[in-house]
């Protein structure tokens, strides 16, 4: 049982997440160098004697632990000293337990796998206006270095040519001479890493394409594809290529991502972009990757992270977007889409988003066959009968397993193409990440998918898939259906802000066609990373925390469909990126948001907010609290403060109320000086649990067959309407389809989670385990294979 394992081995186990077997991050007691620099208010300079002495202390400590680990049979694969003081070790669970008790060892955590989660969009966020504000696009990001930690960057793409660039002294940088061909005067770092499990060496070349698209959005130069010219947010910034994802693979271990962050900080990069994530997230203090992000931010770096693609249910922020000091970015709709079509006689063409894999240059026409006639879940997560889809176009419901699994199962059953349709709770189609699956595929909306289901049930219906993308204008006032929503795993406010991430026209490797339309918080994140570079170039001399505040707290309130009602702070953070406001804003704040957490019907809590005048003149700033909806709002110790340039003032924000009903109490503090028209926005939030189930989250279940009669675990979480975990009434009566032996809290692992210990039946086959929780949609049964 998992609880027993926790008590026996005393190290952190991450449920619901893929881990690298027998690989651990061993954190040691001394603080890393970045944290020392932050505590001493010093820049992280390589020649500083105090830092050199501290590195020597860390290496001595690591040497003692290394020798003890190796004496027990463990193998040390890597070590960090800048953003982490830790060793990466290959060893057994029993050796990990013994290591945890060694002197100087702070924690032992399993290595966790993470996954990859611009033309017209620039105007929506006032980026093109900002170029004019700073004197032209040829100044956007000049002198700033952006690290792209991803799948690599295609240096042959027109977006990354280096005419007019000169690399700074000491660059380009590589880990091996063979990677020097992936650098130029624009891409000044090319580091390919070694898989800690297979020991296979990656070159820095981008085979996948994800990193090339991300780099284009952040800092690609103007270039022209089939849909016209595109330009990145900060085209004059330098780029660093830190390739952590293997060729042809989807996952990267956090030990490699930490290595890349360590290298980026040591290389002197200014901005770090992480368009990757893992869900569900542990609490930030228990997450090795989050700790590295926090320490990189402490070293003065602006770290921008995709919030996650697991929305729109609440409490879906992925790690490391959970890092309190990162900028976690959610996604909104672009004002233009590029889509193909599904064509059926008697209907207007259905809008369809082609997957990002290899699709057909010509139309594919065949009979559509609904997978639900073979698989009651309609998900195609399990193998389908041989030739059951022969010559047909498979119709498959989105959800539960990866797109790759669905497409490969359909193809193995003989399908020649597939139409996936969105779930009712997230009804809009997205661009699917097919990760090497070769079956041509598109996604349609939930409504259009159900129309195809209904038609196919009445007999053989022939449809055509047209993959040729055409442009159409749409209303951009929508949160993307996939964009993850807070509260954060520490009950904080995340995402921090929104940026356009849906239907982004961007680059891909020249060998794959050079241009592609993509969606995901993977692409809203580099928009903000590029914005950080633009801001740094235009307003030099501020701290990393101040740049972070300018970007977040200058955002514009985001309303749905242009209505007056905002989304709420756990969906939008401070609002939509507004680049011109970030350039003009004369205040920064710390912290950038105020969460009063989750508590009872009575609250009496005070938090401190530090306001800094970053303008060039003395100013008087007015401060007010604006609530969203009914309910109390915080009281402020000062509603008006006068500050000289560079001066700061701390104000008290007191939230006091009695007799509150279950729900959330949220809003923004508004800050405005007389020297600027920009209104700063600082979100606040407080939640009172309702204990009324609204959402069911399946966090972990067996991915391989279980033995007959054996006990297996299913980890899940139940949330109320506001994303607060429901803890009452969670018992074995919720489970049917197999015998639930017990249910126990796993809150120490994933906040608010439970583990159901279930006994498999004594016969082979598939057992469907159901959870019945009032009227909550649990997304269908959990299918477990028994052998």
């Amino acid at each position: 049982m998992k609880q027993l394992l926790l008590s026996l081995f005393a190290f952190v186990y991450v449920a619901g997440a893929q881990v690298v077997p027998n690989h651990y991050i061993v954190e040691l007691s001394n603080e890393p160098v970045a944290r020392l620099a932050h505590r001493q208010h010093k820049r992280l300079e390589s020649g500083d004697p105090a830092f050199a002495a501290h590195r020597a202390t860390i290496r001595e400590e690591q040497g003692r632990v290394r020798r003890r680990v190796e004496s027990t049979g463990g193998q040390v694969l890597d070590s960090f000293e800048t953003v982490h003081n830790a060793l990466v070790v290959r060893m057994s669970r029993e050796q990990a337990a013994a290591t945890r008790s060694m002197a100087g060892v702070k924690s032992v955590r399993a290595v966790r796998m993470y996954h990859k989660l611009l033309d017209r969009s620039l105007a929506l966020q006032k980026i093109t206006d900002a170029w004019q504000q700073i004197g032209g696009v040829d100044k956007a990001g000049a002198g700033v270095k952006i690290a792209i930690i991803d799948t690599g960057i295609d240096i042959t793409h027109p977006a990354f040519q280096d005419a007019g660039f000169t690399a700074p002294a000491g660059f380009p940088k590589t880990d091996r001479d063979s990677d020097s061909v992936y650098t130029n005067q624009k891409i000044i770092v090319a580091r390919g890493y070694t898989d800690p499990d297979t020991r296979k060496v990656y070159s820095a070349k981008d085979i996948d394409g994800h990193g090339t698209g991300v780099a284009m959005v952040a800092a690609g130069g103007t270039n022209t594809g089939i849909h016209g010219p595109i330009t990145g947010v900060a085209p004059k910034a330098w780029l660093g290529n830190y390739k952590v994802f293997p060729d042809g693979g989807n996952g990267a271990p956090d030990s490699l991502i930490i290595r890349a962050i360590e290298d980026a900080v040591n290389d002197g990069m200014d901005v770090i972009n992480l368009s990757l994530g893992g869900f569900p997230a542990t609490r930030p203090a228990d997450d090795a990757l989050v700790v590295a992000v926090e320490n990189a931010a402490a070293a003065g770096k602006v770290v921008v992270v995709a919030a996650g693609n697991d929305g729109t249910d609440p409490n879906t922020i992925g790690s490391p977007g959970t890092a309190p000091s990162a900028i976690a970015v959610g996604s909104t709709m672009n004002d233009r889409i590029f889509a193909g079509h599904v064509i059926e006689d008697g209907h207007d063409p259905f809008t369809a988003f082609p997957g990002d894999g290899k699709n057909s240059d010509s139309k594919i026409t065949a009979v559509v066959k609904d997978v639900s006639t073979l698989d009651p879940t309609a998900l195609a997560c399990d193998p389908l009968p041989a030739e059951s889809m022969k010559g047909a176009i498979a119709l498959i419901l989105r959800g539960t397993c990866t797109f790759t699994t669905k497409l490969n199962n359909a193809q193995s059953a003989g399908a020649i193409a597939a139409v996936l349709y969105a779930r009712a709770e997230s009804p809009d189609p997205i661009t699917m990440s097919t990760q090497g699956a070769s079956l041509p595929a598109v996604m349609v909306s939930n409504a259009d998918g159900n129309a195809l289901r209904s038609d196919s049930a009445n007999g053989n219906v022939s449809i055509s898939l047209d993959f040729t993308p055409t442009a159409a204008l749409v209303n951009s006032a929508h949160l993307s259906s996939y964009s993850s929503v807070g509260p954060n795993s520490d009950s904080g406010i995340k995402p921090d802000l929104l940026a356009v991430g849906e239907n982004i026209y961007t680059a891909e490797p020249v060998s794959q066609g050079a241009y592609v339309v993509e969606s995901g918080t993977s692409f809203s994140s580099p928009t903000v990373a590029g914005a950080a570079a633009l801001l740094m170039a235009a307003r030099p001399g501020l701290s990393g925390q101040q740049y972070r505040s300018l970007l977040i707290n200058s955002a514009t309130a985001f309303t749905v469909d242009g209505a007056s009602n905002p989304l709420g702070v756990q969906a939008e953070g401070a609002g939509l990126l507004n680049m011109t406001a970030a350039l003009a804003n004369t205040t920064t704040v710390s912290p950038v948001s105020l969460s009063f957490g989750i508590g009872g019907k009575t609250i009496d809590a005070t938090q401190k907010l530090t306001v800094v005048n970053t303008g060039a003149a003395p100013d008087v700033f007015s401060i007010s609290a604006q609530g969203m909806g009914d309910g109390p709002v915080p009281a402020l110790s000062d509603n008006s403060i006068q500050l000289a340039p560079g001066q700061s003032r701390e104000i008290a924000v007191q939230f006091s109320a009695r007799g509150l009903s279950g729900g959330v109490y949220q809003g923004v503090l508004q800050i405005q000086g007389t020297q600027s028209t920009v209104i700063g926005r600082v979100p606040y939030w407080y939640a009172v649990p309702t204990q009324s189930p609204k959402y069911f989250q399946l966090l972990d279940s067996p991915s391989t067959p279980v033995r007959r009669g054996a006990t297996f675990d299913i980890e899940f979480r139940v949330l109320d309407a506001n994303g607060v975990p429901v803890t009452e009434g969670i018992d074995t009566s919720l489970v049917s389809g197999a015998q639930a032996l017990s249910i126990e809290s796993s809150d120490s692992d994933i906040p608010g989670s439970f583990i159901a210990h279930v006994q498999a039946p004594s016969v082979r086959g598939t057992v469907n385990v159901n959870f019945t929780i009032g009227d909550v949609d649990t997304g269908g049964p959990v299918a477990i294979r028994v052998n």
Side-chain angles (χ1 to χ4, degrees), residues 307 312-317 328-332 478-480 483-488 492-499 521 558 560 566-576 628 666 683 685 722:
T312 54
D313 288 356
N315 215 320
T316 50
I317 302 295
V329 189
S331 172
T332 67
H478 292 280
L479 182 72
S480 299
S483 188
S484 289
V485 176
N488 199 28
I493 296 173
K494 291 283 181 175
D496 294 294
L497 81 167
L498 303 173
T521 54
F558 189 78
V560 179
L567 285 172
V569 302
Q570 294 291 9
E572 68 168 320
L576 180 67
M628 296 181 184
Q666 61 183 328
W685 183 85
N722 303 300

Short mmCIF file of all heavy atoms in Angstrom, two decimals, residues 307 312-317 328-332 478-480 483-488 492-499 521 558 560 566-576 628 666 683 685 722:
data_model
loop_
_atom_site.label_atom_id
_atom_site.label_comp_id
_atom_site.label_asym_id
_atom_site.label_seq_id
_atom_site.Cartn_x
_atom_site.Cartn_y
_atom_site.Cartn_z
N ALA A 307 1.18 27.34 -17.96
CA ALA A 307 0.34 26.99 -16.81
C ALA A 307 -0.17 25.57 -16.90
O ALA A 307 -0.44 24.94 -15.87
CB ALA A 307 -0.83 27.96 -16.70
N THR A 312 -10.71 22.97 -18.58
CA THR A 312 -10.87 24.19 -17.81
C THR A 312 -11.37 23.92 -16.39
O THR A 312 -11.87 24.83 -15.72
CB THR A 312 -11.88 25.12 -18.50
OG1 THR A 312 -13.09 24.38 -18.70
CG2 THR A 312 -11.36 25.63 -19.83
N ASP A 313 -11.30 22.68 -15.94
CA ASP A 313 -11.64 22.41 -14.56
C ASP A 313 -10.65 23.14 -13.64
O ASP A 313 -9.50 23.37 -14.01
CB ASP A 313 -11.56 20.91 -14.27
CG ASP A 313 -12.69 20.14 -14.92
OD1 ASP A 313 -13.57 20.79 -15.52
OD2 ASP A 313 -12.69 18.90 -14.84
N PRO A 314 -11.09 23.50 -12.43
CA PRO A 314 -10.17 24.17 -11.51
C PRO A 314 -9.13 23.22 -10.94
O PRO A 314 -9.24 22.00 -11.07
CB PRO A 314 -11.11 24.69 -10.42
CG PRO A 314 -12.27 23.75 -10.43
CD PRO A 314 -12.44 23.35 -11.87
N ASN A 315 -8.12 23.80 -10.31
CA ASN A 315 -7.07 23.06 -9.62
C ASN A 315 -6.32 22.15 -10.59
O ASN A 315 -6.07 20.98 -10.30
CB ASN A 315 -7.65 22.24 -8.46
CG ASN A 315 -6.69 22.16 -7.29
OD1 ASN A 315 -5.48 22.02 -7.49
ND2 ASN A 315 -7.21 22.25 -6.08
N THR A 316 -5.95 22.70 -11.76
CA THR A 316 -5.25 21.92 -12.78
C THR A 316 -3.92 22.53 -13.19
O THR A 316 -3.36 22.17 -14.23
CB THR A 316 -6.14 21.75 -14.03
OG1 THR A 316 -6.66 23.03 -14.44
CG2 THR A 316 -7.30 20.82 -13.75
N ILE A 317 -3.39 23.47 -12.43
CA ILE A 317 -2.08 24.07 -12.75
C ILE A 317 -1.01 22.99 -12.66
O ILE A 317 -0.93 22.24 -11.68
CB ILE A 317 -1.76 25.23 -11.81
CG1 ILE A 317 -2.83 26.31 -11.87
CG2 ILE A 317 -0.38 25.81 -12.13
CD1 ILE A 317 -2.95 27.01 -13.20
N ALA A 328 3.43 32.04 -14.43
CA ALA A 328 2.64 30.96 -15.04
C ALA A 328 1.62 31.59 -15.98
O ALA A 328 0.86 32.46 -15.58
CB ALA A 328 1.94 30.14 -13.96
N VAL A 329 1.62 31.13 -17.23
CA VAL A 329 0.84 31.78 -18.28
C VAL A 329 -0.26 30.86 -18.79
O VAL A 329 0.01 29.74 -19.22
CB VAL A 329 1.73 32.22 -19.46
CG1 VAL A 329 0.94 33.08 -20.42
CG2 VAL A 329 2.97 32.96 -18.96
N GLY A 330 -1.50 31.34 -18.73
CA GLY A 330 -2.63 30.65 -19.34
C GLY A 330 -2.83 31.12 -20.76
O GLY A 330 -2.11 32.00 -21.27
N SER A 331 -3.81 30.55 -21.45
CA SER A 331 -3.98 30.78 -22.88
C SER A 331 -5.36 31.30 -23.23
O SER A 331 -6.37 30.85 -22.68
CB SER A 331 -3.74 29.46 -23.64
OG SER A 331 -4.08 29.58 -25.02
N THR A 332 -5.38 32.25 -24.17
CA THR A 332 -6.64 32.74 -24.74
C THR A 332 -6.65 32.49 -26.24
O THR A 332 -5.63 32.19 -26.86
CB THR A 332 -6.82 34.25 -24.48
OG1 THR A 332 -5.83 34.98 -25.21
CG2 THR A 332 -6.70 34.57 -23.01
N HIS A 478 -12.16 34.61 -25.48
CA HIS A 478 -12.42 33.29 -24.92
C HIS A 478 -11.16 32.79 -24.23
O HIS A 478 -10.06 32.86 -24.80
CB HIS A 478 -12.82 32.29 -25.99
CG HIS A 478 -14.16 32.55 -26.61
ND1 HIS A 478 -15.35 32.19 -26.01
CD2 HIS A 478 -14.50 33.15 -27.78
CE1 HIS A 478 -16.36 32.54 -26.79
NE2 HIS A 478 -15.86 33.13 -27.87
N LEU A 479 -11.33 32.25 -23.04
CA LEU A 479 -10.25 31.47 -22.45
C LEU A 479 -10.18 30.15 -23.21
O LEU A 479 -11.20 29.52 -23.48
CB LEU A 479 -10.55 31.20 -20.97
CG LEU A 479 -9.47 30.43 -20.19
CD1 LEU A 479 -8.26 31.32 -19.94
CD2 LEU A 479 -10.03 29.93 -18.86
N SER A 480 -8.98 29.72 -23.57
CA SER A 480 -8.84 28.45 -24.29
C SER A 480 -9.39 27.31 -23.45
O SER A 480 -9.18 27.26 -22.24
CB SER A 480 -7.37 28.19 -24.63
OG SER A 480 -6.86 29.21 -25.47
N SER A 483 -6.86 25.61 -21.21
CA SER A 483 -5.99 26.40 -20.33
C SER A 483 -6.24 26.06 -18.86
O SER A 483 -7.36 26.15 -18.37
CB SER A 483 -6.24 27.89 -20.56
OG SER A 483 -5.29 28.67 -19.86
N SER A 484 -5.19 25.66 -18.15
CA SER A 484 -5.34 25.22 -16.77
C SER A 484 -5.72 26.38 -15.85
O SER A 484 -5.37 27.54 -16.08
CB SER A 484 -4.03 24.59 -16.27
OG SER A 484 -3.84 23.33 -16.88
N VAL A 485 -6.45 26.02 -14.80
CA VAL A 485 -7.05 26.99 -13.89
C VAL A 485 -6.62 26.68 -12.46
O VAL A 485 -6.43 25.50 -12.11
CB VAL A 485 -8.60 26.93 -14.03
CG1 VAL A 485 -9.29 27.84 -13.04
CG2 VAL A 485 -9.03 27.27 -15.45
N GLY A 486 -6.50 27.71 -11.62
CA GLY A 486 -6.16 27.53 -10.23
C GLY A 486 -7.36 27.08 -9.41
O GLY A 486 -8.41 26.76 -9.95
N PRO A 487 -7.23 27.02 -8.09
CA PRO A 487 -6.10 27.51 -7.30
C PRO A 487 -4.85 26.64 -7.45
O PRO A 487 -4.92 25.50 -7.88
CB PRO A 487 -6.62 27.45 -5.86
CG PRO A 487 -7.68 26.39 -5.89
CD PRO A 487 -8.31 26.49 -7.23
N ASN A 488 -3.72 27.23 -7.09
CA ASN A 488 -2.45 26.55 -7.15
C ASN A 488 -2.40 25.45 -6.10
O ASN A 488 -3.23 25.40 -5.18
CB ASN A 488 -1.33 27.56 -6.92
CG ASN A 488 0.02 27.05 -7.40
OD1 ASN A 488 0.10 26.25 -8.32
ND2 ASN A 488 1.09 27.51 -6.79
N GLY A 492 -2.38 29.23 -3.72
CA GLY A 492 -2.09 30.56 -4.25
C GLY A 492 -2.86 30.82 -5.53
O GLY A 492 -3.67 30.00 -5.98
N ILE A 493 -2.64 32.00 -6.11
CA ILE A 493 -3.32 32.41 -7.34
C ILE A 493 -2.44 32.06 -8.54
O ILE A 493 -1.32 32.55 -8.66
CB ILE A 493 -3.63 33.92 -7.32
CG1 ILE A 493 -4.62 34.24 -6.20
CG2 ILE A 493 -4.19 34.37 -8.66
CD1 ILE A 493 -4.85 35.73 -5.99
N LYS A 494 -2.92 31.21 -9.40
CA LYS A 494 -2.27 30.85 -10.66
C LYS A 494 -3.38 30.56 -11.66
O LYS A 494 -4.41 29.99 -11.28
CB LYS A 494 -1.37 29.62 -10.50
CG LYS A 494 -0.13 29.83 -9.66
CD LYS A 494 0.96 30.58 -10.42
CE LYS A 494 2.21 30.75 -9.54
NZ LYS A 494 3.33 31.35 -10.27
N PRO A 495 -3.22 30.85 -12.95
CA PRO A 495 -2.04 31.45 -13.57
C PRO A 495 -1.84 32.89 -13.12
O PRO A 495 -2.74 33.49 -12.52
CB PRO A 495 -2.37 31.38 -15.06
CG PRO A 495 -3.86 31.44 -15.11
CD PRO A 495 -4.33 30.68 -13.91
N ASP A 496 -0.68 33.44 -13.44
CA ASP A 496 -0.40 34.83 -13.10
C ASP A 496 -1.02 35.80 -14.09
O ASP A 496 -1.44 36.89 -13.72
CB ASP A 496 1.11 35.06 -13.02
CG ASP A 496 1.74 34.29 -11.88
OD1 ASP A 496 1.43 34.60 -10.72
OD2 ASP A 496 2.52 33.35 -12.15
N LEU A 497 -1.06 35.41 -15.36
CA LEU A 497 -1.70 36.22 -16.39
C LEU A 497 -1.98 35.35 -17.60
O LEU A 497 -1.62 34.15 -17.63
CB LEU A 497 -0.84 37.43 -16.80
CG LEU A 497 0.31 37.25 -17.78
CD1 LEU A 497 0.80 38.62 -18.27
CD2 LEU A 497 1.46 36.50 -17.15
N LEU A 498 -2.63 35.92 -18.61
CA LEU A 498 -2.98 35.22 -19.83
C LEU A 498 -2.25 35.84 -21.02
O LEU A 498 -1.91 37.02 -21.00
CB LEU A 498 -4.49 35.31 -20.09
CG LEU A 498 -5.42 34.79 -19.00
CD1 LEU A 498 -6.87 35.11 -19.35
CD2 LEU A 498 -5.24 33.28 -18.81
N ALA A 499 -2.04 35.02 -22.04
CA ALA A 499 -1.54 35.51 -23.33
C ALA A 499 -2.14 34.63 -24.41
O ALA A 499 -2.61 33.51 -24.14
CB ALA A 499 -0.01 35.45 -23.38
N THR A 521 -0.74 26.22 -24.01
CA THR A 521 -0.02 27.17 -23.17
C THR A 521 1.47 27.13 -23.46
O THR A 521 2.21 28.02 -23.07
CB THR A 521 -0.29 26.91 -21.67
OG1 THR A 521 0.02 25.54 -21.34
CG2 THR A 521 -1.76 27.18 -21.32
N PHE A 558 -9.63 40.56 -18.28
CA PHE A 558 -10.10 39.75 -19.41
C PHE A 558 -11.55 39.35 -19.17
O PHE A 558 -11.87 38.70 -18.17
CB PHE A 558 -9.23 38.50 -19.57
CG PHE A 558 -9.50 37.73 -20.83
CD1 PHE A 558 -9.00 38.18 -22.04
CD2 PHE A 558 -10.25 36.57 -20.82
CE1 PHE A 558 -9.23 37.49 -23.22
CE2 PHE A 558 -10.49 35.88 -21.98
CZ PHE A 558 -9.99 36.33 -23.19
N VAL A 560 -15.23 37.65 -20.71
CA VAL A 560 -15.69 36.63 -21.63
C VAL A 560 -16.69 37.22 -22.60
O VAL A 560 -17.65 37.88 -22.20
CB VAL A 560 -16.32 35.45 -20.87
CG1 VAL A 560 -16.82 34.39 -21.84
CG2 VAL A 560 -15.31 34.85 -19.91
N PRO A 566 -15.70 39.54 -15.43
CA PRO A 566 -14.40 38.91 -15.65
C PRO A 566 -14.45 37.42 -15.36
O PRO A 566 -15.42 36.91 -14.79
CB PRO A 566 -13.49 39.64 -14.65
CG PRO A 566 -14.42 40.07 -13.55
CD PRO A 566 -15.74 40.37 -14.21
N LEU A 567 -13.39 36.73 -15.73
CA LEU A 567 -13.33 35.29 -15.54
C LEU A 567 -13.22 34.90 -14.07
O LEU A 567 -13.71 33.86 -13.67
CB LEU A 567 -12.11 34.72 -16.28
CG LEU A 567 -12.19 34.59 -17.79
CD1 LEU A 567 -10.84 34.19 -18.34
CD2 LEU A 567 -13.24 33.57 -18.17
N GLY A 568 -12.56 35.69 -13.28
CA GLY A 568 -12.17 35.30 -11.93
C GLY A 568 -10.67 35.11 -11.88
O GLY A 568 -10.04 34.68 -12.86
N VAL A 569 -10.09 35.44 -10.75
CA VAL A 569 -8.63 35.53 -10.69
C VAL A 569 -7.94 34.18 -10.82
O VAL A 569 -6.77 34.12 -11.22
CB VAL A 569 -8.16 36.26 -9.40
CG1 VAL A 569 -8.77 37.65 -9.33
CG2 VAL A 569 -8.51 35.46 -8.16
N GLN A 570 -8.61 33.07 -10.49
CA GLN A 570 -7.96 31.77 -10.64
C GLN A 570 -7.99 31.26 -12.07
O GLN A 570 -7.41 30.22 -12.38
CB GLN A 570 -8.60 30.74 -9.70
CG GLN A 570 -8.38 31.02 -8.22
CD GLN A 570 -6.94 30.84 -7.77
OE1 GLN A 570 -6.03 30.65 -8.56
NE2 GLN A 570 -6.72 30.91 -6.46
N ALA A 571 -8.66 31.98 -12.96
CA ALA A 571 -8.64 31.64 -14.37
C ALA A 571 -7.78 32.61 -15.17
O ALA A 571 -7.11 32.21 -16.13
CB ALA A 571 -10.05 31.62 -14.95
N GLU A 572 -7.79 33.89 -14.77
CA GLU A 572 -7.08 34.90 -15.56
C GLU A 572 -5.87 35.50 -14.86
O GLU A 572 -5.10 36.21 -15.49
CB GLU A 572 -8.03 36.02 -15.95
CG GLU A 572 -8.52 36.88 -14.78
CD GLU A 572 -9.22 38.15 -15.25
OE1 GLU A 572 -8.74 38.76 -16.22
OE2 GLU A 572 -10.23 38.52 -14.64
N GLY A 573 -5.68 35.22 -13.56
CA GLY A 573 -4.63 35.93 -12.85
C GLY A 573 -4.95 37.41 -12.83
O GLY A 573 -6.06 37.82 -12.47
N ALA A 574 -3.99 38.24 -13.24
CA ALA A 574 -4.23 39.68 -13.29
C ALA A 574 -4.92 40.09 -14.58
O ALA A 574 -5.42 41.21 -14.68
CB ALA A 574 -2.91 40.44 -13.15
N GLY A 575 -4.96 39.21 -15.61
CA GLY A 575 -5.62 39.55 -16.86
C GLY A 575 -4.78 39.21 -18.06
O GLY A 575 -3.85 38.38 -17.99
N LEU A 576 -5.06 39.83 -19.19
CA LEU A 576 -4.38 39.58 -20.46
C LEU A 576 -3.16 40.48 -20.59
O LEU A 576 -3.22 41.68 -20.31
CB LEU A 576 -5.34 39.84 -21.62
CG LEU A 576 -4.79 39.62 -23.04
CD1 LEU A 576 -4.50 38.14 -23.29
CD2 LEU A 576 -5.79 40.15 -24.07
N MET A 628 -15.10 41.31 -6.93
CA MET A 628 -15.86 40.69 -8.02
C MET A 628 -17.09 40.03 -7.38
O MET A 628 -16.95 39.07 -6.63
CB MET A 628 -15.02 39.65 -8.75
CG MET A 628 -13.81 40.20 -9.46
SD MET A 628 -12.88 38.89 -10.31
CE MET A 628 -11.48 39.82 -10.94
N GLN A 666 -13.16 37.38 -4.03
CA GLN A 666 -12.02 37.73 -4.87
C GLN A 666 -12.20 39.10 -5.49
O GLN A 666 -13.29 39.68 -5.48
CB GLN A 666 -11.87 36.68 -5.99
CG GLN A 666 -13.09 36.61 -6.91
CD GLN A 666 -12.96 35.52 -7.95
OE1 GLN A 666 -11.86 35.22 -8.41
NE2 GLN A 666 -14.08 34.92 -8.34
N PRO A 683 -4.37 40.89 -7.98
CA PRO A 683 -5.49 40.03 -7.63
C PRO A 683 -5.43 39.57 -6.17
O PRO A 683 -4.35 39.37 -5.60
CB PRO A 683 -5.33 38.82 -8.56
CG PRO A 683 -4.31 39.22 -9.56
CD PRO A 683 -3.45 40.26 -8.93
N TRP A 685 -7.72 36.73 -3.33
CA TRP A 685 -8.62 35.57 -3.37
C TRP A 685 -8.69 34.92 -1.98
O TRP A 685 -7.69 34.83 -1.27
CB TRP A 685 -8.08 34.57 -4.38
CG TRP A 685 -8.89 33.32 -4.62
CD1 TRP A 685 -9.95 33.17 -5.46
CD2 TRP A 685 -8.67 32.02 -4.05
NE1 TRP A 685 -10.41 31.86 -5.45
CE2 TRP A 685 -9.63 31.14 -4.60
CE3 TRP A 685 -7.74 31.52 -3.13
CZ2 TRP A 685 -9.69 29.78 -4.24
CZ3 TRP A 685 -7.81 30.17 -2.78
CH2 TRP A 685 -8.77 29.32 -3.34
N ASN A 722 -15.27 25.66 -6.82
CA ASN A 722 -14.18 26.62 -6.83
C ASN A 722 -12.81 25.96 -6.82
O ASN A 722 -11.80 26.65 -6.66
CB ASN A 722 -14.33 27.57 -5.65
CG ASN A 722 -15.67 28.27 -5.66
OD1 ASN A 722 -16.00 28.97 -6.61
ND2 ASN A 722 -16.47 28.06 -4.63
#
